[in-house]
Amino acid sequence: MDMFDGVGRRRDASTGLFVDIGQHSLNGYERNCLFRNNGDGTFTDVGWPAGADRVEDGRGLSIFDYDRDGRLDLLIRNYRQPTVLLRNAAPAGHWIELALVGMASNRDAVGARIRLETAAGWQTRVVGAGSAYLSGQSLVQHFGLGSARRADTVEIAWPSGAQATLGTLPADRRYVVVEGGEAAVAP
């Protein structure tokens, strides 16, 4: 059997023979999952209560704060179906967003590593420019803070090798941090 044998076909469950499915999806329709990080190394599927457990032929996903309310929203790209925006309407905890601007590094700060500390512990984000096929991600780094009303420390390791440490940042806002500026500015 060569590598492409069976592409565009499915086996009939009763006969075991291939059935030509034409130009339909190779994956078929599947129920979407949405996992919540429980914070202890485990995850819980919350797709159904969140309204995200749609039966679609999903191809791509973008996660970003569409309406800038501090809650991450989902944009789902489906095969031969309209794109779907799932707006997050859950009760919001506190949050901070950081938009980095590189000067000695690349302008989008791709590759920068951000560590943020609250009383609950450390979180880490790495600025990336892509995530998967037909998917994307925001260059703005989002940190959910839960009940914390501030970040106690923010450390940035820029792609150029430069290091920056920011002091206390109040929650519930987006900050722009310019490499070499050493200060976060809320636009």
Side-chain angles (χ1 to χ4, degrees):
M1 173 184 264
D2 86 14
M3 183 167 100
F4 297 106
D5 192 23
V7 172
R9 298 185 295 175
R10 295 265 191 225
R11 284 194 189 271
D12 182 283
S14 61
T15 66
L17 299 174
F18 280 113
V19 176
D20 187 357
I21 63 170
Q23 293 186 17
H24 297 287
S25 165
L26 298 176
N27 290 337
Y29 291 86
E30 298 175 16
R31 187 165 300 282
N32 293 334
C33 296
L34 178 64
F35 294 99
R36 179 186 62 222
N37 184 339
N38 298 322
D40 61 1
T42 64
F43 296 84
T44 301
D45 186 354
V46 295
W48 180 76
D53 68 333
R54 305 159 57 95
V55 177
E56 298 171 318
D57 191 1
R59 297 295 185 193
L61 175 69
S62 294
I63 304 168
F64 65 110
D65 188 0
Y66 167 77
D67 46 10
R68 295 195 60 180
D69 63 356
R71 297 177 291 211
L72 294 177
D73 306 299
L74 305 176
L75 187 71
I76 302 171
R77 174 66 181 107
N78 296 304
Y79 181 71
R80 293 189 172 190
Q81 294 173 297
T83 299
V84 176
L85 174 66
L86 299 177
R87 291 184 62 211
N88 187 345
H94 297 290
W95 54 277
I96 285 180
E97 289 184 335
L98 297 173
L100 304 186
V101 179
M103 298 305 282
S105 301
N106 61 81
R107 178 131 178 100
D108 291 329
V110 172
R113 184 173 186 257
I114 306 166
R115 296 182 68 224
L116 179 142
E117 182 185 26
T118 64
W122 287 92
Q123 295 182 51
T124 302
R125 302 280 182 277
V126 177
V127 179
S131 57
Y133 176 69
L134 293 179
S135 299
Q137 61 195 36
S138 175
L139 294 170
V140 176
Q141 302 304 298
H142 181 94
F143 294 86
L145 304 182
S147 62
R149 296 185 179 275
R150 69 176 190 268
D152 297 321
T153 305
V154 176
E155 299 173 352
I156 302 170
W158 295 91
S160 66
Q163 304 285 323
T165 301
L166 308 175
T168 302
L169 295 179
D172 303 329
R173 35 185 86 104
R174 178 183 286 193
Y175 295 93
V176 176
V177 181
V178 178
E179 183 177 14
E182 306 300 324
V185 179

